[in-house]
Amino acid sequence: MAFADDPSAATLNMGLNSIWVLVAAILVILMQGGFILLESGSTRMKNAGHIAGKTVFTLGLCTLIYWAIGYAFAFGADNTGTAISNIIGSGDFFFSPDKAAGDGVGLPPAIFFTFQLAFAAVSLSIAWGGFAERAKLSAYLVFTVLFTALIYPVIAHWIWSSDGWLFSKGAQDYAGSTVVHLTGAIAAFAATVLLKPRIGRFNKDGSANEILGHNQVFGALSVLILWVGWFGFNAGSALGVGDGFFGYVAFNTQLGAAGGAVAALLISWLMNGKADITTTLNGALAGLVAITATCAFVEPWAAVVIGLLAGVLVYFSAKFFEKIKVDDPIFALSVHGAAGIWGTLANGIFATDELAKKLGVGQGGIIDTGNWHQLWVQLESVVVCGAYVLIASFLLLGIMKVVMGLRVTEEQEIIGLDLSEHGTFGYPEQMKKAQQTM
């Protein structure tokens, strides 16, 4: 009916943009299915139902908190032009968008909100890697509120809001290597340090015991789901169809993921004499994480290099965290943390001045311009954002640990969180058989 009124070109453009960005938001939300399979497949059967259930529950709670508070802190514009607006937003609490966008609006606010919410939920799911197999359900509840209200929105505002102080400096993070992935990974690091390793993960002499996940096929399927969802993640961040630039972003995304998967398989084969499947899967994800910041700023050859180096980095990073006795069941610190840092810094090396000007953010990197300025800006954003998330996460989780406790009892951990936290099994038939043979 609306089209019968001869809409303007701007209205038609808004409609096309709206369709693509909403589809992209749906793809990103569907990545939660990938996280369910990734975390459950990488851990033991006795915790699978708990992992699936808490992911759905925290997605719902994250939505409500982001609607009430988080979006206002990330993109609220009441203080536009004031000093405080450089640090945090303050408008649009309990966000209530217009029912329909007016002529000339680039994107309806409701769609922009949904897209940004999907990113917040992904960052939160990354943080859960540090809680896996040992945290109380109540810890998930409380930290969802704190992370979505006080941690993630601050970083999103600094880098992605037009008022943010790092945005004004030209920090380049197209779809969130720092904002989403590094933020979630550092929160996961704080959690795993405060929760301490799972029972049996490390011996008294410091040597490590491998705790195998119960389903490697789940792990592979999760990577494929996340890989597909990443096109919404990265190409959706173009926030429109326009001249088709979102296709270029998708193209670079695929190259980065491919480089990560291939490099990780080859490095594990070279170092271990066998091609490790888990490392290969982590390499694909690390390539995706690294290309997330750079996909719109670099040439295709650079996307391949960024992915290849991410695949190598994730292998050695996982070994490092094991050596210092940090128990990271789903490799969140390596996949999202180390690769997130690399991807953000990579813009300072590989970004082209042409693409930086097209996007209106920062400038070209060392290779294109011979200038170190962008690398220093990228390094500053990593250090400052990382420090904020680290301090805030340790502080908030530390208070939670004192007030309510974070970890289940030894007995609860041994019998599994499915039974101890929910009174049922994710795999009832298999668990009944196991009990009958005991």
Side-chain angles (χ1 to χ4, degrees), residues 216 220 268 275-282:
Q216 205 163 62
S268 69
D276 183 65
I277 295 172
T278 299
T279 301
T280 304
L281 300 178
N282 287 339

Side-chain angles (χ1 to χ4, degrees), residues 27-375:
L27 285 171
V28 179
I29 290 172
L30 284 174
M31 291 172 73
Q32 295 297 326
F35 283 113
I36 289 173
L37 292 174
L38 177 64
E39 189 176 340
S40 62
S42 301
T43 54
R44 289 164 290 186
M45 184 183 289
K46 63 184 179 180
N47 300 310
H50 164 80
I51 288 166
K54 64 83 181 167
T55 302
V56 174
F57 161 71
T58 55
L59 173 61
L61 183 56
C62 172
T63 298
L64 298 178
I65 300 304
Y66 194 74
W67 163 71
I69 301 171
Y71 183 77
F73 286 158
F75 297 102
D78 278 0
N79 289 320
T80 299
T82 65
I84 195 172
S85 68
N86 294 326
I87 306 300
I88 198 166
S90 65
D92 296 318
F93 293 101
F94 297 94
F95 184 59
S96 182
D98 293 335
K99 305 301 183 293
D103 193 26
V105 174
L107 195 68
I111 292 178
F112 181 74
F113 170 89
T114 304
F115 187 65
Q116 293 300 331
L117 163 66
F119 279 53
V122 167
S123 190
L124 180 65
S125 289
I126 293 165
W128 296 148
F131 291 68
E133 297 205 288
R134 56 211 192 271
K136 295 178 179 180
L137 183 64
S138 57
Y140 287 100
L141 188 156
V142 175
F143 194 66
T144 294
V145 174
L146 297 174
F147 182 88
T148 309
L150 302 176
I151 296 178
Y152 176 82
V154 174
I155 304 302
H157 183 81
W158 287 356
I159 294 180
W160 283 346
S161 171
S162 58
D163 296 320
W165 70 279
L166 286 172
F167 178 87
S168 67
K169 284 195 165 192
Q172 297 169 346
D173 188 9
Y174 190 71
S177 288
T178 289
V179 174
V180 177
H181 297 280
L182 182 59
T183 296
I186 291 179
F189 173 74
T192 197
V193 169
L194 290 171
L195 280 161
K196 298 181 180 180
R198 293 167 292 172
I199 295 171
R201 180 66 174 93
F202 296 105
N203 300 313
K204 290 183 178 180
D205 63 1
S207 59
N209 298 310
E210 191 172 9
I211 300 179
L212 296 173
H214 83 276
N215 196 319
Q216 205 163 62
V217 176
F218 275 14
L221 182 58
S222 75
V223 170
L224 181 60
I225 292 171
L226 292 168
W227 193 325
V228 171
W230 232 286
F231 290 107
F233 212 92
N234 287 2
S237 293
L239 298 179
V241 293
D243 58 359
F245 183 67
F246 76 111
Y248 180 80
V249 172
F251 174 65
N252 275 348
T253 298
Q254 181 70 10
L255 291 177
V262 171
L265 181 142
L266 293 177
I267 193 66
S268 69
W269 202 349
L270 176 66
M271 300 299 294
N272 302 327
K274 297 287 184 181
D276 183 65
I277 295 172
T278 299
T279 301
T280 304
L281 300 178
N282 287 339
L285 293 177
L288 286 162
V289 170
I291 201 62
T292 293
T294 57
C295 52
F297 291 95
V298 302
E299 296 290 340
W301 69 266
V304 174
V305 173
I306 290 166
L308 289 169
L309 292 177
V312 174
L313 175 63
V314 76
Y315 173 83
F316 289 105
S317 175
K319 296 295 184 185
F320 168 76
F321 282 115
E322 182 178 83
K323 186 175 182 180
I324 64 173
K325 295 190 278 296
V326 171
D327 185 13
D328 182 16
I330 64 169
F331 303 98
L333 309 185
S334 300
V335 169
H336 302 279
I341 292 171
W342 160 236
T344 306
L345 296 179
N347 269 331
I349 302 171
F350 298 105
T352 69
D353 213 39
E354 176 190 3
L355 289 169
K357 288 177 179 176
K358 175 181 176 63
L359 297 165
V361 182
Q363 61 185 50
I366 297 170
I367 292 176
D368 189 56
T369 66
N371 191 321
W372 289 72
H373 173 77
Q374 193 61 44
L375 181 60

Side-chain angles (χ1 to χ4, degrees), residues 165-166 169 345 375-386:
W165 70 279
L166 286 172
K169 284 195 165 192
L345 296 179
L375 181 60
W376 289 118
V377 171
Q378 298 303 105
L379 179 61
E380 180 182 23
S381 68
V382 166
V383 171
V384 173
C385 292

